[in-house]
């Protein structure tokens, strides 16, 4: 596959570069039948779950050696109830997640805050003795946390910074706002039907947003052996949008000339 050079500055990724990328991917899909086979299989699987299928697909069973079998192919809807049961068990559970800072400065600051809490807890009894000696009150520093008496318990205690607390609260808010349980439920159906599920994240109305993408609309390197799309050579999705939908989602990236051109399409 002859993709244009990828490791170049963003300033050099002009319209021609993008078109060359798209053309290279299209050529790859036309010359390799894997993409068409995967798309056909996904569409057929979705239809099978709904009890829809083409009898001609199974003539190799019903009409063996040119002889029509006296039995006929009958659909028994046993797949969807199983998926519904599993999906119900999935959404009945709470979405569990953890929030942790990962960059070195944040981790160091987190450890410093943890030791500050320990030091403050140790110094408080000493302050009381000093106060008795000098006859003056020394205010304690309120760090909002207390160290347990057991040192081992303290070392294993889940200590979170203010940033982690804010991120945790924000995620819980977004789970409710965007009804993420239902989003992941639909993704679970995709996994059960096609063995694939896809999501994308972006900013919507100032908040992070998670969108489930139909596997039948995904374009990616089917020959890749990696497990996640972020490690794939390319990935994208195709869909139909109205002009207003394009402007709502990509308007902040378009120039005035591009918007005018869009309305002329």
């Amino acid at each position: 596959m002859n993709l244009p050079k990828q490791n170049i500055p963003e300033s050099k990724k002009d319209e021609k570069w993008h078109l060359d990328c798209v053309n290279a991917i299209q050529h790859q899909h036309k010359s390799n039948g894997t993409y068409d086979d995967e798309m056909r299989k996904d569409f057929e699987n979705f239809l099978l779950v709904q009890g829809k299928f083409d009898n001609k697909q199974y003539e190799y069973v019903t009409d063996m050696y040119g002889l029509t079998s006296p039995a006929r192919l009958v659909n028994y809807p046993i797949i969807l109830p199983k998926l519904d049961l599993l999906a119900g068990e999935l959404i009945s559970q709470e979405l569990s997640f953890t929030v942790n800072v990962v960059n070195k400065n944040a981790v160091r600051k987190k450890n410093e805050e943890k030791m500050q809490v320990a030091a403050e807890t140790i110094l408080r009894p000493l302050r009381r003795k000093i106060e008795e000696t000098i006859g003056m009150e020394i205010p304690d520093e309120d760090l909002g946390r207390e160290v347990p008496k057991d040192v081992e318990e303290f070392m294993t205690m889940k200590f979170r910074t203010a940033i982690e607390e804010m991120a945790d609260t924000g995620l819980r808010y977004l789970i409710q706002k965007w009804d993420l349980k239902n989003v992941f439920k639909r993704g679970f159906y995709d996994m059960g039907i096609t063995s694939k599920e896809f999501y994308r994240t972006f900013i919507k109305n100032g908040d992070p947003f998670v969108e489930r993408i139909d596997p039948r609309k995904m374009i990616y390197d089917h020959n890749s052996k990696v497990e996640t799309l972020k490690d794939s050579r390319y990935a994208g999705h195709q869909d139909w949008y109205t002009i207003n939908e394009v402007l709502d989602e990509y308007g902040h990236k378009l120039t005035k000339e591009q918007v005018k051109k869009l309305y002329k399409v």
Side-chain angles (χ1 to χ4, degrees):
M1 181 177 180
N2 296 320
L3 276 172
K5 190 175 181 180
Q6 303 293 303
N7 188 22
I8 60 175
E10 290 293 327
S11 59
K12 293 186 178 181
K13 295 180 180 180
D14 53 12
E15 184 175 352
K16 182 181 181 302
W17 181 87
H18 286 89
L19 288 175
D20 289 342
C21 288
V22 173
N23 290 332
I25 293 171
Q26 287 182 334
H27 182 268
Q28 167 76 3
H29 289 172
K30 288 180 180 179
S31 60
N32 189 329
T34 305
Y35 173 77
D36 290 337
D37 292 341
E38 285 290 324
M39 288 295 101
R40 187 181 302 107
K41 183 185 70 174
D42 290 345
F43 273 95
E44 290 175 353
N45 285 350
F46 269 95
L47 290 174
L48 280 172
V49 169
Q50 301 171 29
K52 302 176 182 178
F53 57 91
D54 185 357
N55 286 317
K56 292 183 179 180
Q57 290 180 277
Y58 302 96
E59 285 183 349
Y60 70 96
V61 177
T62 59
D63 297 347
M64 293 181 65
Y65 306 110
L67 301 174
T68 303
S69 172
R72 62 188 180 89
L73 191 63
V74 179
N75 172 58
Y76 290 93
I78 61 175
I79 301 176
L80 193 56
K82 297 292 185 182
L83 289 176
D84 289 338
L85 177 62
L86 294 173
E89 293 178 358
L90 175 70
I91 64 173
S92 65
Q93 303 175 17
E94 183 180 358
L95 291 180
S96 58
F97 60 89
T98 57
V99 177
N100 293 296
V101 293
V102 293
N103 64 76
K104 293 182 179 179
N105 290 334
V107 172
R108 185 180 70 251
K109 184 178 180 181
K110 179 178 179 178
N111 291 331
E112 288 175 352
E113 290 183 9
K114 187 173 182 179
M115 297 311 300
Q116 188 178 1
V117 171
E120 176 63 22
T121 305
I122 294 172
L123 288 175
R124 282 181 182 176
L126 298 177
R127 288 200 187 99
R128 302 292 83 83
K129 294 181 180 180
I130 295 174
E131 288 175 351
E132 293 176 1
T133 302
I134 65 176
M136 182 184 299
E137 183 179 354
I138 303 176
D140 294 327
E141 185 176 355
D142 185 12
L143 299 177
R145 296 180 177 87
E146 294 292 337
V147 176
K149 294 181 180 180
D150 189 349
V151 176
E152 291 185 1
E153 182 182 350
F154 168 68
M155 296 306 296
T156 58
M157 185 175 61
K158 293 183 178 179
F159 186 92
R160 295 199 296 190
T161 64
I163 295 176
E164 290 174 329
E165 292 283 0
M166 291 175 61
D168 183 89
T169 302
L171 283 174
R172 296 185 186 280
Y173 164 74
L174 293 174
I175 288 173
Q176 298 298 323
K177 179 178 181 179
W178 301 126
D179 192 15
L180 293 187
K181 273 193 174 184
N182 188 54
V183 174
F184 294 141
K185 174 185 175 182
R186 295 180 65 192
F188 177 81
Y189 277 102
D190 293 339
M191 175 62 75
I193 296 171
T194 68
S195 75
K196 300 183 285 284
E197 60 180 319
F198 301 100
Y199 306 90
R200 71 181 183 119
T201 58
F202 55 95
I203 301 300
K204 182 176 181 179
N205 297 329
D207 287 329
F209 182 75
V210 179
E211 179 185 34
R212 168 253 178 191
I213 301 179
D214 192 320
R216 294 167 291 184
K217 298 178 180 179
M218 282 299 301
I219 301 172
Y220 61 97
D221 185 8
H222 289 273
N223 296 318
S224 177
K225 297 181 180 180
V226 297
E227 292 292 330
T228 57
L229 288 184
K230 70 177 183 179
D231 299 320
S232 180
R233 286 188 295 175
Y234 61 88
H237 78 284
Q238 55 187 345
D239 208 341
W240 292 96
Y241 290 95
T242 65
I243 292 178
N244 288 335
E245 287 174 334
V246 172
L247 293 176
D248 286 343
E249 187 162 342
Y250 304 105
H252 63 287
K253 296 182 179 180
L254 300 177
T255 64
K256 291 183 179 180
E257 292 299 322
Q258 290 173 325
V259 173
K260 291 179 181 179
K261 186 178 179 180
L262 186 63
Y263 276 108
K264 294 179 181 179
V265 174

